[in-house]
Amino acid sequence: MRKGFTLVELLIVLAVIAALMAVATPLALNAVKNAKASQVAQNFRNIKTAVENYWNTEKPTAAASITGISIGTLVSSKYLSATPTNFSVAVTTGTGGVYNCTITYSGKDVDADKVRSNGMGEVQGNTGADLTLTFNLQKWW
């Protein structure tokens, strides 16, 4: 009597492994998409907080320093610990001491609805397009 597996037994094992992979792969890909959306939502939160802290602590007065707020400014001033990828900040002059700040995520790899469901409901944009978060900054000094 020979020892070993028959061809039929090996094919059955391969079929079972293929069936398990067919079930597990979509679940893993969905988990990666959810993690990416969660990371983008957290970056929106961190950048918004950093802009507000910079604004209220540094109290920029010159128009150039107000509209010159950027990710690089926030990192060099230690309001952000690292530069998040594909994000930008723009502050525009408003009226009555109110300024408009827009944070933009230019990566097209995130589901916008998943970002909104991660606590960032005010994020605008569609999947496959730039996502933006717009808020006001009040100049009180």
Side-chain angles (χ1 to χ4, degrees):
M1 179 172 194
R2 291 187 194 173
K3 293 184 180 181
F5 296 106
T6 66
L7 181 60
V8 173
E9 290 172 330
L10 290 174
L11 289 175
I12 289 173
V13 169
L14 288 175
V16 169
I17 290 173
L20 289 173
M21 290 299 292
V23 170
T25 302
L27 295 175
L29 291 176
N30 195 24
V32 169
K33 288 180 184 178
N34 285 338
K36 181 67 175 176
S38 177
Q39 179 185 25
V40 168
Q42 186 63 39
N43 283 339
F44 269 119
R45 267 190 231 79
N46 289 343
I47 295 169
K48 180 180 179 185
T49 301
V51 168
E52 290 171 341
N53 286 340
Y54 178 87
W55 183 263
N56 290 319
T57 303
E58 303 295 329
K59 300 175 187 160
T61 54
S65 63
I66 290 173
T67 58
I69 296 174
S70 66
I71 297 289
T73 304
L74 298 172
V75 171
S76 65
S77 301
K78 306 292 187 214
Y79 290 96
L80 280 177
S81 60
T83 304
T85 308
N86 297 326
F87 279 90
S88 62
V89 174
V91 179
T92 57
T93 305
T95 58
V98 177
Y99 293 81
N100 300 315
C101 181
T102 302
I103 302 169
T104 303
Y105 176 70
S106 59
K108 312 282 192 262
D109 58 344
V110 175
D111 185 359
D113 291 330
K114 288 183 180 181
V115 173
R116 285 189 276 273
S117 69
N118 274 298
M120 293 305 295
E122 61 270 22
V123 169
Q124 301 296 315
N126 297 318
T127 302
D130 289 353
L131 301 180
T132 59
L133 171 64
T134 303
F135 58 97
N136 293 329
L137 296 166
Q138 177 68 47
K139 187 173 178 182
W140 50 270
W141 54 91

